[in-house]
Amino acid sequence: MLTNRQLFLHHNAQTSDSPLLLEFKRASGVWIYDINEKPYMDLIAGIGVSNLGHCHPNVVNAVKNQAETYMHLMVYGEYIQNPQVQLATLLTAQLPSNLDSCYFVNSGAEAVEGAMKLAKRVTGRKEIISCKNAYHGSTQGALSLMSTDYFKTNFNPLLPNINHITFNDFNDLDKITEETAAVFIEPVQGEAGIRPAKQDYLVALRKKCNETGTLLVFDEIQTGYGRTGHLFCFQKYNVIPDILLLAKGIGGGMPIGAFISSKTNMDTFTSNPILGHITTFGGHPVSCAAGLATLKTLLSEQIVDTVEEKGALFESLLKHPNIISFRRSGLMMAIEFNDFKTNKRIIDLCIEDGVITDWFLHCDNSLRIAPPLIITEEEIKYACNIILKHIDSIN
């Protein structure tokens, strides 16, 4: 009989020629346990997903209760479904008045795709601008926003009328014109290796978009739901977007994304043509129930208030002469080394030692740290000791 490993390699589509091939049986909090009960600390929260940790009881109970009540009923937008209504109501209550209408989808990439369509529909324009070294997803529209040819060339032709500006470069703002439908930007570039936007840059970007009638889209798929020490990163900058993108951490481990804008903007999808954007499983009631439990927990337990202190503790502990730089925004962190070979060796050793970390798509010489927001001081110290031990070991 074939093992799960063999079946995985035979029947599950692969995304690289060297998958980690770790096989897990259960997870709780910041820990994942393999089939031999070896614990692994998930120091990347499933790549920004498990902000409340794995299997948070509030989320698990919400999923169970909703699954027993009803699951899929109809394509998104036709029926009044309580989990969708409750989540949209609580979510928009945390947002400025111009972000009062949610469109729930299944993932971050879908949120990007919907926002691209919305921007074109609202403005009647064709050009979309994104930043170099950004990552907005792998579907064809989202991939078109990426600047790196390596990831795009073999999938050409992609969408036309996509242009790029340099992140934090004031001079490039002149590329935004009255022909530009939208600018997509991460307030902290994630896959570029944790690069926070400058305060005055985002202010200038907002001003330029106002002047040209361009919609400003904040991709907070990684930064949202407390990751940077605010519920939403735009609150840290006090710069309000026209469209907000969320996914990853908002479902507590269940698949869900959202693009959020004004009701006026969203209503453009209702006519000319009717059903301007549709999704079968978007806003799935079980995912929305999980999302509602996640948001309620974040708000009631003041978890976001602990993020900056925890991030600062990581930064204070991770000191080593082999570390070139340490970049951070809340609990989004990057440790930069001389090269990918060094970084990959440290990552592999950490995983062998039961601490899961990773590298970045556009910055492969930097090690990713983005743990569940519930991580404790003791767990932070434990993780840092493991990382430092293996930095030492490669001298």
Side-chain angles (χ1 to χ4, degrees):
M1 181 180 292
L2 295 178
T3 65
N4 268 358
R5 176 191 175 104
Q6 292 168 321
L7 291 168
F8 171 81
L9 291 171
H10 277 106
H11 300 296
N12 288 73
Q14 304 297 302
T15 58
S16 79
D17 58 7
S18 55
L20 290 173
L21 294 177
L22 299 171
E23 186 173 353
F24 294 112
K25 62 184 293 187
R26 64 186 180 91
S28 178
V30 304
W31 298 94
I32 315 177
Y33 300 84
D34 73 8
I35 56 175
N36 298 312
E37 285 296 323
K38 176 181 175 179
Y40 291 78
M41 179 182 285
D42 186 1
L43 210 59
I44 53 176
I47 310 293
V49 169
S50 302
N51 283 10
L52 288 183
H54 296 279
C55 294
H56 192 286
N58 294 351
V59 177
V60 171
N61 288 334
V63 168
K64 287 180 178 178
N65 292 337
Q66 185 57 46
E68 291 175 349
T69 304
Y70 62 80
M71 290 187 276
H72 177 75
L73 299 179
M74 178 59 155
V75 296
Y76 180 72
E78 293 299 319
Y79 293 166
I80 300 168
Q81 300 183 52
N82 186 63
Q84 292 177 359
V85 173
Q86 294 299 314
L87 178 55
T89 300
L90 183 60
L91 181 50
T92 55
Q94 317 307 315
L95 294 168
S97 60
N98 69 310
L99 299 171
D100 62 352
S101 182
C102 298
Y103 197 119
F104 292 120
V105 289
N106 300 287
S107 67
E110 284 189 48
V112 171
E113 297 283 349
M116 293 175 77
K117 288 176 64 178
L118 182 64
K120 292 177 179 179
R121 182 67 180 85
V122 168
T123 64
R125 303 173 184 179
K126 298 178 180 180
E127 181 192 46
I128 293 178
I129 288 177
S130 60
C131 290
K132 296 174 184 176
N133 293 325
Y135 180 76
H136 297 288
S138 292
T139 51
Q140 289 200 71
L143 184 62
S144 300
L145 297 179
M146 191 184 294
S147 64
T148 309
D149 287 337
Y150 172 78
F151 293 103
K152 294 169 35 173
T153 299
N154 287 334
F155 304 106
N156 285 334
L158 296 173
L159 291 185
N161 302 308
I162 306 293
N163 290 304
H164 299 99
I165 57 176
T166 302
F167 188 71
N168 277 333
D169 186 336
F170 289 83
N171 293 326
D172 265 9
L173 296 181
D174 287 338
K175 294 180 180 179
I176 303 167
T177 71
E178 292 181 357
E179 300 299 316
T180 310
V183 175
F184 281 68
I185 189 169
E186 304 160 275
V188 178
Q189 284 199 315
E191 295 307 315
I194 313 304
R195 315 280 178 173
K198 298 174 182 176
Q199 173 70 45
D200 51 352
Y201 173 76
L202 285 189
V203 171
L205 174 60
R206 175 71 274 180
K207 183 174 183 290
K208 185 67 174 180
C209 288
N210 289 344
E211 291 170 352
T212 58
T214 300
L215 298 183
L216 178 57
V217 183
F218 273 13
D219 180 340
E220 293 223 31
I221 291 165
Q222 287 198 50
T223 59
Y225 268 42
R227 177 60 57 185
T228 66
H230 291 72
L231 190 59
F232 307 103
C233 191
F234 75 81
Q235 295 169 330
K236 182 176 183 177
Y237 291 97
N238 196 29
V239 174
I240 299 172
D242 300 296
I243 304 175
L244 177 67
L245 310 182
L246 301 172
K248 288 190 179 290
I250 75 171
M254 291 292 289
I256 185 171
F259 59 103
I260 305 170
S261 191
S262 68
K263 177 168 172 50
T264 300
N265 286 347
M266 287 297 195
D267 280 350
T268 60
F269 278 152
T270 64
S271 61
N272 194 28
I274 190 174
L275 304 176
H277 194 67
I278 52 177
T279 170
T280 298
F281 291 111
H284 192 283
V286 177
S287 292
C288 284
L292 180 62
T294 298
L295 184 53
K296 284 182 174 179
T297 302
L298 282 172
L299 295 173
S300 65
E301 298 184 11
Q302 289 84 48
I303 292 170
V304 180
D305 295 341
T306 71
V307 166
E308 182 56 32
E309 182 179 353
K310 291 174 180 178
L313 179 58
F314 270 106
E315 188 169 5
S316 70
L317 294 174
L318 289 171
K319 306 288 187 183
H320 195 282
N322 287 345
I323 294 176
I324 304 302
S325 70
F326 186 99
R327 296 182 297 275
R328 181 176 73 84
S329 181
L331 280 171
M332 289 180 78
M333 292 163 279
I335 305 174
E336 183 174 344
F337 299 104
N338 276 322
D339 50 47
F340 173 69
K341 181 179 179 181
T342 299
N343 186 38
K344 185 64 165 59
R345 180 61 178 151
I346 294 168
I347 290 169
D348 290 344
L349 289 169
C350 285
I351 293 174
E352 288 176 17
D353 215 357
V355 172
I356 297 174
T357 182
D358 193 16
W359 45 278
F360 297 92
L361 201 62
H362 299 314
C363 188
D364 63 11
N365 67 330
S366 293
L367 181 148
R368 183 197 308 265
I369 301 175
L373 308 186
I374 62 165
I375 192 169
T376 66
E377 180 178 330
E378 292 73 21
E379 288 166 337
I380 291 171
K381 291 177 179 177
Y382 174 86
C384 290
N385 284 336
I386 296 292
I387 294 169
L388 291 169
K389 178 176 79 170
H390 294 304
I391 295 175
D392 269 338
S393 73
I394 62 167
N395 281 341

